Amino acid sequence: MSMVALLHECQGILSVLVLSITGVLVLLLDAFSPLERKGRLGALAVVGTLLALASLRLKPAGTAFFNGMVVWDSFSVFLSGVLLLGAVLVILLSFDQMRLTGLECGEYYALVLFATTGMILMVQSSHFILLFLGLEIFSIAIYILVGIARHEKRANEAAVKYVLLGGFASGFLLYGLTFIYGATGSLSMNAMAAYLGKGDTVYNPYLLLGSALVLVGFAFKLALAPFHLWTPDVYEGAPTPITAYMAVGVKAAVFGALVRTFWVALPMVHPHWNMFFWALAAITMTVGNLMALSQESVKRMLAFSSIAHAGYLFMTVVADSKEALTALLVYLLAYTVMNVGAFGVLVMVQNRQESGESLEDFRGLAARSPLLAASMALFLFSLAGIPPTAGFIGKFMVFSAVVQSGYTWLVIVAVINSVIAAYYYLRVVIIMYRPGEEKAISFSGTFMASLSSGEKGALLGAGVLTALVGLWPHTFWHLARQAVHVLF
């Protein structure tokens, strides 16, 4: 391949190249940066991520690159934007916590950039080899980030669990791909779709077994029940900004890959697993919400609630329509900003108290820091699906699309689960605002309500977007509608 041809192909992975180059630059500069200036490497990571975000507005000549392995279409651009937005917010949240916990280093920021690189490759891939490569790039980066606090026992435990179960997930996915390759003769998504469109080839048992194993691999990564057991321990052991990124980034990347798998590559297989999808969505949201009810740790509560939200998102796979996929993208955007925002407030409380994870740590927060309490209330209202927030719009779109597809009973299950979820989200709000807590606060020690510029930026960005998606949903619906148009 000539240099000119190579440069032309690189248009398709411009955002990936920007992130990768920035990550390598951060690693090189880390070797020459004194300890007190490591925070500047985080600022460089933010600049690189914003440049990658800006590169999404460039329209390359063509939509398929590297022999059709990479696609640059509106679907991948939308999801890449969500991933980069989540990465910026997480890096901003990391500045103070990494410094206060003594974990600030260039590797941390570089690994976040490399993880985002892998996630974007997943949503841009139209070949299963590249999809698997993206999965491993972001998985390995997150394995290390989960255990980056090497001196903490629970971080070590979380990293070991995540490595082992992540390895199982990769194994299931890879094993499934071998069966699919044997049945279709290709790992290109377009070639598979063309082969399956010829006739009754879909009844090939190897194809069905392969697609089932691939689904199990995705289910591990999405923490769908009963493949969710690793989630609370891993989320609890990881640094809180990384927990936030796992909850939103991994979901966006894996849902993007799952959509391309079952809508582009294997559309004929989809109806065979629809009842299984139905059960998976219902069980996941119910298990996540019931387990979240009994949690006294806000971090674990948000971990279990992320399982429930995976169930809500998976309902769109059951519905199998353009409206459902549009709703999926809007919900992923809403979930990213409101969930990173909720974890962000948790990080800020942690930075100013010894623990900051238990419900008791939030008691009387409204008196200590009205801004943090109001922000947390906004994000929790949104997670509960209370109007006019982004979470309400996301749930409304998902539930409407699923009803239109005829799965009314699944929506009834989801509505019951939303009522259960409202209880444990509002419990935190009540504890923050309950009258009479101010007196207790005067004995509870000091609490610095001042926020750093990074924390203010993350809080403001997440809060504004949570409100914008809720108040002006048509703009985001229109963007999502255009994004899914290429898949139908």
Side-chain angles (χ1 to χ4, degrees), residues 181-253:
Y181 178 77
T184 63
S186 176
L187 285 176
S188 164
M189 294 184 183
N190 292 329
M192 283 182 192
Y195 177 79
L196 294 174
K198 291 177 182 176
D200 296 334
T201 50
V202 69
Y203 294 103
N204 187 323
Y206 296 108
L207 179 63
L208 295 177
L209 177 60
S211 60
L213 291 173
V214 167
L215 179 62
V216 170
F218 285 145
F220 263 114
K221 290 295 181 184
L222 290 172
L224 300 177
F227 310 105
H228 67 288
L229 296 176
W230 58 271
T231 311
D233 292 340
V234 174
Y235 278 26
E236 189 177 30
T240 306
I242 296 305
T243 307
Y245 196 46
M246 290 172 69
V248 299
V250 174
K251 275 190 180 56

Side-chain angles (χ1 to χ4, degrees), residues 299-323:
K299 195 173 182 181
R300 283 183 74 88
M301 183 199 80
L302 290 174
F304 279 109
S305 89
S306 78
I307 297 172
H309 282 277
Y312 301 138
L313 288 161
F314 204 72
M315 291 169 65
T316 60
V317 180
V318 180
D320 188 20
S321 67
K322 187 183 286 188
E323 288 71 22

Side-chain angles (χ1 to χ4, degrees), residues 339-383:
N339 207 44
V340 171
F343 273 109
V345 175
L346 186 60
V347 169
M348 293 167 207
V349 174
Q350 281 179 322
N351 289 344
R352 290 157 181 80
Q353 296 185 180
E354 286 187 4
S355 170
E357 291 184 10
S358 70
L359 275 172
E360 286 301 313
D361 294 326
F362 284 78
R363 190 175 293 282
L365 182 64
R368 283 173 289 170
S369 176
L371 175 62
L372 278 187
S375 302
M376 189 63 164
L378 171 66
F379 298 130
L380 292 176
F381 285 152
S382 187
L383 285 165

Side-chain angles (χ1 to χ4, degrees), residues 16-326:
V16 169
L17 289 175
V18 172
L19 286 176
S20 303
I21 292 170
T22 308
V24 172
L25 191 60
V26 167
L27 285 177
L28 289 174
L29 292 177
D30 184 43
F32 304 100
S33 300
L35 285 176
E36 66 274 13
R37 293 183 180 176
K38 299 289 185 187
R40 296 184 180 182
L41 300 173
L44 177 60
V46 170
V47 171
T49 311
L50 291 175
L51 286 175
L53 194 58
S55 73
L56 296 177
R57 294 187 60 83
L58 301 176
K59 292 183 179 177
T63 56
F65 301 89
F66 296 101
N67 294 322
M69 294 184 77
V70 173
V71 287
W72 177 290
D73 55 19
S74 51
F75 181 75
S76 62
V77 169
F78 188 98
L79 283 177
S80 298
V82 172
L83 290 168
L84 289 166
L85 177 65
V88 169
L89 295 175
V90 165
I91 294 172
L92 288 174
L93 285 174
S94 302
F95 290 166
D96 274 18
Q97 189 166 74
M98 292 299 106
R99 179 175 54 80
L100 292 170
T101 54
L103 297 173
E104 194 169 56
C105 58
E107 291 97 320
Y108 175 87
Y109 300 111
L111 285 167
V112 173
L113 296 176
F114 293 146
T116 312
T117 299
M119 292 173 185
I120 292 177
L121 278 179
M122 277 192 80
V123 300
Q124 281 194 292
S125 61
S126 65
H127 196 286
F128 280 107
I129 292 296
L130 186 63
L131 188 151
F132 184 73
L133 185 65
L135 177 76
E136 289 306 292
I137 289 173
F138 93 68
S139 295
I140 291 170
I142 291 184
Y143 295 154
I144 301 169
L145 287 169
V146 168
I148 201 164
R150 295 186 295 273
H151 57 284
E152 288 187 13
K153 185 179 176 183
R154 70 174 188 174
N156 296 333
E157 180 185 339
V160 170
K161 283 182 179 177
Y162 197 40
V163 167
L164 291 176
L165 292 172
F168 276 117
S170 298
F172 275 112
L173 184 69
L174 205 55
Y175 203 40
L177 291 179
T178 61
F179 280 105
I180 293 175
Y181 178 77
T184 63
S186 176
L187 285 176
S188 164
M189 294 184 183
N190 292 329
M192 283 182 192
Y195 177 79
L196 294 174
K198 291 177 182 176
D200 296 334
T201 50
V202 69
Y203 294 103
N204 187 323
Y206 296 108
L207 179 63
L208 295 177
L209 177 60
S211 60
L213 291 173
V214 167
L215 179 62
V216 170
F218 285 145
F220 263 114
K221 290 295 181 184
L222 290 172
L224 300 177
F227 310 105
H228 67 288
L229 296 176
W230 58 271
T231 311
D233 292 340
V234 174
Y235 278 26
E236 189 177 30
T240 306
I242 296 305
T243 307
Y245 196 46
M246 290 172 69
V248 299
V250 174
K251 275 190 180 56
V254 177
F255 266 111
L258 188 145
V259 166
R260 285 204 188 277
T261 300
F262 286 97
W263 267 269
V264 176
L266 308 171
M268 304 294 186
V269 173
H270 194 286
H272 289 268
W273 298 119
N274 227 26
M275 285 307 297
F276 182 67
F277 292 159
W278 195 104
L280 209 55
I283 293 171
T284 299
M285 67 179 84
T286 305
V287 168
N289 282 319
L290 290 180
M291 295 300 291
L293 274 177
S294 59
Q295 301 303 316
E296 291 300 318
S297 161
V298 176
K299 195 173 182 181
R300 283 183 74 88
M301 183 199 80
L302 290 174
F304 279 109
S305 89
S306 78
I307 297 172
H309 282 277
Y312 301 138
L313 288 161
F314 204 72
M315 291 169 65
T316 60
V317 180
V318 180
D320 188 20
S321 67
K322 187 183 286 188
E323 288 71 22
L325 279 190
T326 306

Side-chain angles (χ1 to χ4, degrees), residues 85 89 333-334 337-338 379 389-390 459-471 476:
L85 177 65
L89 295 175
L333 172 63
V337 293
M338 65 189 179
F379 298 130
T389 57
L459 202 62
L460 184 66
V464 167
L465 280 170
T466 300
L468 279 179
V469 177
L471 294 172
F476 301 96

